[in-house]
Amino acid sequence: MTTLDESLQEPGLAASPNRLSAFLAPRLGGLPRAFWALWTGTLINRLGTMVEPFLGLYLTTARGLSLAQAGGVMTVLGAGSLGGQFLGGTLADRIGRRRTLLLSTLGTGGAMLALGYAQGMVALVAAAALLGLLMDMFRPASQAMVADMVPAADRARAFGLNFWAVNLGWAVAMVSAGTLARTGFHTLFWINAATAAAFGTLVWRAVPETRPARPAGADADPRGGFLDVLRDRVMVGYTLAAMAYVFVLMQSMTTMPLAMREHGLGPGTYGWVIAINGVVIITVQPLVNAWLTRRDHSLVLAAGMAVVAVGIGCTALASRPWEYAVAVVLWSFGEIMAASVLQAIVAGLAPDHLRGRYSGLYGLAWSGGFMLAPLGGTQLLGLGGSALMWPACGALGLAAAAAQIALGPAVRRRTAVQPDA
């Protein structure tokens, strides 16, 4: 006989797993096993991303370079990253996504150690150029691989999960790197190299090649290169709008600490204020990603760009830590919105045989925006201080959102998910 306590408890026990399944299914369900292997590799790789944020400090302290020399080495690294995006996109389409990923991740491990042990300016520049070329070469291949293996209706959700993994790994890496750096910078280089190699090993063991097979017959064999991508006016316009958005977003990493210093706020305050961005993304993005990806992608992206622009623009009103924190929370919500659909739109615009190159051009928006952000932001800050720099960047962000709205009809026509036959 069932007791009263049992009759009360059993429905609850049954309902709890059902509620959990109902919560997880639209967020995590329906994605192939190979995607989760790639996702795990992405997380591992990001957990070890410890050298880049401390590279300037390493070059000026451990290697005794001047600020100008250290800046030159880091510029070479950035230039190599630009080349890596193009090369990675080309190789992903020509030799395959898997081989490109293996070349990039395993090569990054070796190049990371080469930079860590390089002596002299010539050796440092050469190692930085090689590392810059290899370390971002995997990105177009990884993005093309997700587009290959995940159905169009689920791509935005899959890219959103990758975005969450990147931010989780980055947050853990930043906390860990600060402590590990005290044991010596070489520790950071070895961890960075090991996690990059672990990513490649996981791809080698668990992720098959996904590049679509070419049709039989020479006449049916699709050919193409970056010129074909550059002839796509929608994609070029989309890339330029994305680059403007990245330029605005990256002010939080480049000029915000300088602006905060004008109000007597030091690096420690900036550290916890900017950490709020990671906390917001890690906690909020999993809750809203599935909902956002079901909305019109162009409108979600335009709204996200606009929210980031307003949040960055409002930073001009901040002078105390909590005011900067409020601005960070605001643009973090916009970043979540934009990130939920940015890569899915690229995958939808790209023909199957050019997915790597389209992802490479999209990667240029990030590498280029990241390189231009400190140059433009510091110039604006020097000309008119925070009162000029933040509103100007906010206006640029709103212009990017307006451009995305203008591109919206063309993007919808090109990326509409076709119903199953």
Side-chain angles (χ1 to χ4, degrees), residues 27-381:
R27 293 165 174 81
L28 304 179
L31 298 172
R33 180 178 297 178
F35 165 78
W36 289 112
L38 187 64
W39 182 92
T40 303
T42 300
L43 176 61
I44 292 171
N45 186 52
R46 199 63 172 173
L47 285 169
T49 306
M50 298 183 176
V51 170
E52 247 186 303
F54 292 88
L55 184 56
L57 186 61
Y58 164 75
L59 292 171
T60 55
T61 56
R63 288 292 175 255
L65 300 189
S66 66
L67 289 175
Q69 289 174 322
V73 173
M74 290 188 287
T75 299
V76 169
L77 183 75
S81 174
L82 285 173
Q85 297 281 0
F86 281 107
L87 182 60
T90 300
L91 292 177
D93 289 336
R94 291 183 67 86
I95 69 172
R97 293 44 160 139
R98 187 169 180 266
R99 289 178 180 175
T100 304
L101 270 167
L102 291 174
L103 175 62
S104 174
T105 52
L106 298 178
T108 294
M112 189 67 68
L113 295 179
L115 180 61
Y117 288 92
Q119 301 282 344
M121 191 65 182
V122 174
L124 286 168
V125 168
L130 179 63
L131 178 60
L133 186 69
L134 289 170
M135 72 179 184
D136 280 336
M137 203 169 71
F138 83 93
R139 298 184 191 278
S142 176
Q143 292 163 16
M145 188 171 269
V146 172
D148 294 339
M149 70 172 66
V150 176
D154 292 325
R155 281 178 194 153
R157 181 162 59 94
F159 283 123
L161 288 168
N162 268 349
F163 170 73
W164 185 81
V166 165
N167 279 276
L168 175 62
W170 175 259
V172 175
M174 289 304 94
V175 173
S176 304
T179 301
L180 291 170
R182 298 171 188 167
T183 68
F185 285 106
H186 283 154
T187 303
L188 304 186
F189 282 96
W190 275 100
I191 291 174
N192 217 146
T195 53
F199 184 13
T201 302
L202 185 58
V203 169
W204 174 53
R205 296 297 300 271
V207 182
E209 178 57 64
T210 64
R211 182 178 53 162
R214 292 178 174 177
D219 293 338
D221 190 11
R223 301 290 180 181
F226 266 110
L227 285 179
D228 296 277
V229 184
L230 294 175
R231 292 188 188 103
D232 186 340
R233 290 183 292 179
V234 175
M235 182 61 195
V236 171
Y238 180 80
T239 301
L240 292 174
M243 184 178 292
Y245 162 75
V246 173
F247 177 92
V248 173
L249 183 65
M250 287 299 105
Q251 299 307 318
S252 61
M253 306 292 180
T254 54
T255 52
M256 181 178 283
L258 303 178
M260 292 179 70
R261 189 175 63 185
E262 291 183 347
H263 296 112
L265 304 176
T269 303
Y270 169 75
W272 74 257
V273 166
I274 200 63
I276 294 173
N277 170 247
V279 172
V280 171
I281 290 174
I282 292 169
T283 56
V284 175
Q285 195 264 352
L287 302 177
V288 301
N289 185 59
W291 183 85
L292 288 171
T293 57
R294 293 195 296 268
R295 312 275 80 80
D296 180 276
H297 289 180
S298 288
L299 292 180
V300 170
L301 178 54
M305 288 177 168
V307 173
V308 168
V310 171
I312 291 292
C314 285
T315 311
L317 305 175
S319 60
R320 290 176 286 184
W322 72 266
E323 293 169 339
Y324 279 101
V326 169
V328 168
V329 170
L330 179 56
W331 60 254
S332 295
F333 280 109
E335 185 183 3
I336 290 170
M337 296 169 66
S340 68
V341 295
L342 269 164
Q343 292 176 333
I345 291 176
V346 176
L349 291 174
D352 291 355
H353 66 290
L354 289 176
R355 278 178 181 156
R357 291 180 174 90
Y358 270 68
S359 296
L361 183 61
Y362 167 73
L364 177 63
W366 285 88
S367 295
F370 189 79
M371 283 187 66
L372 294 173
L375 298 175
T378 52
Q379 288 296 315
L380 289 169
L381 193 63

